[in-house]
Amino acid sequence: MTNLTDLTVAEIRDGFRAGDFTAREVAEGFNANVAAAKALNAFIVETPDHALAAADAADKARGEGTLLPLSGVPIGMKDLFCTAGVQTTAASHMLEGFKPTYESTVSGKLWAAGAGMLGKLNLDQFAMGSSNETSYFGNVISPWKRGGGDNAALAPGGSSGGSASAISARLCPAATGTDTGGSIRQPAAFVGISGIKPTYGRCSRWGVVAFASSLDQAGPMARTIRDNAILLESMAGFDPKDSTSLDLPVPQWEAGLSSDLRGKKVGIPKEYRVDGMPAEIDALWEKGIALLKDAGAEVVEVSLPHTKYALPTYYIIAPAEASSNLARYDGVRYGLRDLPDGANLQDMYAATRAAGFGPEVKRRIMIGTYVLSAGFYDAYYTQAQKVRTLIARDFAKAFESCDLLLTPTAPSAAFALGEKQADPLAMYLNDVFTVPASLAGLPAMSVPGGLDAQGLPLGLQIIGKALDEQGVLNAGLAIEERAGFSARPDKWW
Amino acid sequence: MAIDLQTVKKIASLARISVTDAEADALVPELNNIIGWVEQLGEVDVTGVEPMTAVIPNTLRLRDDVVTDGDVRDKVLANAPQAEHGFFAVPKVIE
């Protein structure tokens, strides 16, 4: 009999509808996998009862002929989305024990579409990190190992590392992620799955713990392009509660899937050929170019002249917005309070924030506070916002001569836990290929391209014009069909 | 401009994060590294360039000026570290 936890979202949905199995069988299978995978530390909270309740509702709906788009499909929820009555921590001590009295728009839409929740997935604290080593609840471990008997624990990427690890290990068929500078795409690449960051404003930010509001976007992560399209249709849509939500209809991305790229032009940005790029990443990129050509696309070279300034721009804007957003954690309304003996209100704020935030979060708040402080605001923050305009213009100009861009997702395969932790700057450089599209608000996804010499997955990134998720998904599908990526980690957990 | 110990302590104070002397010492080189790196943006010619305010053109909506929620006091207070008599409670502010 088919192992139900090996199925994709589409296979679960369709097999359940056809009566091949019950939703309860699916939920029980994934609940068992979650319970048996503590070694990966992918979940902060497990919610088997939520998954079972949704499954029972789905089984009942099937009997009554009232099926919903995601009936029978259990998913993982990144612990950055507020879930009513279920602890929501952003992987921080600050929010340990916080049980929202409301539901985020995106998670609410998924439940309304019939999905069930297997649990809340671990992440980098407040989504700040690229390796899932900043979580207060411990590192997430990638299910992948290097070949040749190397037993080093590898990073699943970040910040959506729990989502990546859990999907790759078949603890859930799909999960939500959020992406501020690459937090969906880089972890997807590290574990050999797909993930899409839609156009800024497609998915509501309401009820998502804020990091950098002009960059934060929710999106799905799953093993196939089709599954990403299915999930995104249920997550996207106008929300009057988010002032930057786009008031546009949600396209039928799944129905629109086509891997025929004839007539499409794919741009290769020459500035992404960075110094010291490993030969394997370059080879992967060439392979991606060949696959897209095979699908009928024409490949052209394009220029994004301000690429080298994207990372420093990001590391001014994101910390600046974070320092402002995270000012809300004051020990008064929710979350941790640290009140030393005899402390006044100001002392309480400072003690609470010292105890509640981890080192990377403090570092970013302090950078943000510095670049926004009197006398430095124009030199850093205003300058960064101007360079951001130039970066967005680069993309607009490139899209005059092409429809999509193809790049590697990350400059390396997954690294070992601890390998880059000593130097914050080295960690930041991991986002070199993902940050530019975030700064311009463009849809971008990572799709598996192959394995490196050590047997670890490598991802290709497709960047599209604003609102052209369909074009991005279709190019992803063309790569998926041709790359034939079927590798999965050997079970050791 | 280099960030010295005094600047680190001032930033920490502005950010309302208490730091020990050892933490502040460790932050001096870390923050200098990062700030020194982002300062390369100064070399970009931005003459006549407007700072970005919205990545995707969007108009800010207005809604009718009516009450849309309320009567949820207990929900608002549900996660408070300390709530008394229907209020958030904090240490005494006025001597």
Side-chain angles (χ1 to χ4, degrees):
Chain A
M1 179 188 155
T2 317
N3 189 347
L4 296 178
T5 57
D6 281 341
L7 300 180
T8 64
V9 169
E11 288 165 348
I12 291 170
R13 178 193 64 186
D14 298 343
F16 162 66
R17 289 184 179 197
D20 297 344
F21 41 78
T22 65
R24 192 170 181 93
E25 287 171 321
V26 175
E28 284 174 345
F30 282 108
N31 279 342
N33 281 10
V34 170
K38 309 279 190 212
L40 299 175
N41 199 31
F43 287 87
I44 294 174
V45 173
E46 296 170 12
T47 56
D49 293 342
H50 190 291
L52 289 177
D56 289 344
D59 285 328
K60 189 159 170 277
R62 185 173 63 179
E64 293 168 352
T66 54
L67 287 169
L68 297 163
L70 293 174
S71 285
V73 179
I75 60 167
M77 184 61 58
K78 185 176 183 180
D79 198 23
L80 204 63
F81 293 85
C82 286
T83 42
V86 178
Q87 177 182 261
T88 300
T89 65
S92 71
H93 184 37
M94 185 64 88
L95 285 174
E96 193 174 11
F98 172 62
K99 287 188 179 172
T101 53
Y102 50 88
E103 189 78 34
S104 82
T105 297
V106 164
S107 58
K109 285 169 85 80
L110 287 163
W111 312 148
M117 176 166 65
L118 293 158
K120 300 295 294 285
L121 291 156
N122 205 345
L123 64 149
D124 275 303
Q125 191 170 143
F126 287 104
M128 298 177 189
S130 306
S131 63
N132 224 120
E133 290 172 290
T134 70
S135 168
Y136 176 73
F137 301 95
N139 300 341
V140 174
I141 317 290
S142 170
W144 290 83
K145 297 278 188 194
R146 289 173 180 143
D150 182 342
N151 205 33
L154 300 180
S159 70
S160 308
S163 307
S165 181
I167 295 166
S168 174
R170 272 64 174 175
L171 312 185
C172 51
T176 56
T178 62
D179 192 314
T180 304
S183 281
I184 286 174
R185 292 161 282 162
Q186 183 254 22
F190 274 19
V191 302
I193 64 167
S194 300
I196 182 166
K197 177 196 90 70
T199 309
Y200 180 80
R202 275 284 193 205
C203 293
S204 170
R205 290 181 295 107
W206 195 82
V208 184
V209 177
F211 164 13
S213 302
S214 78
L215 297 156
D216 296 344
Q217 251 307 283
M221 299 169 75
R223 298 209 309 280
T224 68
I225 302 296
R226 178 172 297 275
D227 287 1
N228 274 289
I230 292 170
L231 266 285
L232 188 56
E233 279 184 34
S234 287
M235 294 168 68
F238 175 62
D239 180 8
K241 289 189 284 195
D242 173 359
S243 65
T244 56
S245 174
L246 294 171
D247 191 359
L248 295 170
V250 179
Q252 293 187 304
W253 287 301
E254 187 192 10
L257 286 176
S258 162
S259 58
D260 181 353
L261 301 187
R262 280 176 296 178
K264 293 283 181 190
K265 280 190 183 175
V266 177
I268 306 300
K270 61 181 182 184
E271 289 80 4
Y272 279 52
R273 293 194 190 280
V274 293
D275 290 342
M277 186 155 80
E280 284 186 304
I281 301 293
D282 207 30
L284 169 84
W285 201 0
E286 290 302 325
K287 180 182 168 187
I289 291 170
L291 296 179
L292 292 179
K293 279 183 180 167
D294 184 61
E298 184 188 337
V299 173
V300 295
E301 186 180 85
V302 296
S303 175
L304 301 169
H306 295 89
T307 297
K308 70 174 277 206
Y309 299 110
L311 267 182
T313 299
Y314 177 85
Y315 277 99
I316 290 175
I317 291 170
E321 294 186 15
S323 76
S324 172
N325 270 329
L326 273 63
R328 72 190 66 180
Y329 302 105
D330 55 7
V332 174
R333 290 158 299 162
Y334 39 73
L336 184 75
R337 169 180 290 190
D338 189 5
L339 184 60
D341 277 347
N344 65 25
L345 188 62
Q346 295 294 335
D347 299 336
M348 184 188 85
Y349 294 150
T352 297
R353 292 163 64 79
F357 293 138
E360 180 62 24
V361 176
K362 287 181 194 171
R363 198 178 290 128
R364 295 201 195 187
I365 290 175
M366 290 185 62
I367 292 166
T369 304
Y370 180 71
V371 300
L372 291 176
S373 62
F376 298 109
Y377 186 96
D378 280 340
Y380 293 111
Y381 186 70
T382 306
Q383 179 76 6
Q385 289 288 38
K386 287 179 178 174
V387 177
R388 187 177 184 184
T389 298
L390 293 174
I391 290 166
R393 274 188 205 168
D394 282 357
F395 279 107
K397 183 123 197 309
F399 282 131
E400 287 172 9
S401 59
C402 65
D403 303 294
L404 300 158
L405 299 170
L406 177 75
T407 80
T409 306
S412 72
F415 43 85
L417 291 167
E419 209 169 271
K420 289 183 194 276
Q421 222 180 358
D423 180 2
L425 259 184
M427 188 68 86
Y428 296 173
L429 296 177
N430 221 267
D431 299 329
V432 62
F433 298 138
T434 49
V435 152
S438 294
L439 288 169
L442 301 172
M445 89 176 300
S446 181
V447 57
L451 298 175
D452 74 356
Q454 294 182 303
L456 296 181
L458 298 171
L460 285 162
Q461 176 180 230
I462 300 147
I463 303 170
K465 297 175 184 173
L467 306 177
D468 188 24
E469 285 81 5
Q470 191 73 62
V472 171
L473 290 162
N474 287 354
L477 186 65
I479 291 175
E480 179 179 87
E481 287 177 354
R482 286 165 180 78
F485 184 91
S486 59
R488 58 185 286 182
D490 292 328
K491 190 172 185 301
W492 54 264
W493 55 93
Chain B
M1 191 207 110
I3 296 174
D4 55 18
L5 185 63
Q6 204 188 344
T7 309
V8 167
K9 289 186 170 174
K10 181 172 170 241
I11 300 168
S13 161
L14 288 172
R16 299 292 186 273
I17 298 174
S18 72
V19 291
T20 63
D21 286 345
E23 286 168 337
D25 280 337
L27 279 163
V28 172
E30 277 184 10
L31 296 189
N32 267 312
N33 262 347
I34 296 167
I35 293 294
W37 172 68
V38 300
E39 274 178 354
Q40 62 178 292
L41 286 191
E43 72 195 42
V44 182
D45 181 3
V46 293
T47 313
V49 177
E50 287 294 313
M52 178 172 280
T53 49
V55 285
I56 305 296
N58 203 355
T59 47
L60 282 179
R61 300 175 299 274
L62 295 177
R63 67 166 176 83
D64 293 338
D65 187 14
V66 293
V67 176
T68 57
D69 63 2
D71 205 16
V72 289
R73 188 189 73 184
D74 292 347
K75 278 188 162 187
V76 170
L77 293 173
N79 280 289
Q82 199 185 348
E84 286 173 15
H85 315 297
F87 293 93
F88 294 112
V90 296
K92 192 163 70 176
V93 180
I94 302 162
E95 297 298 323

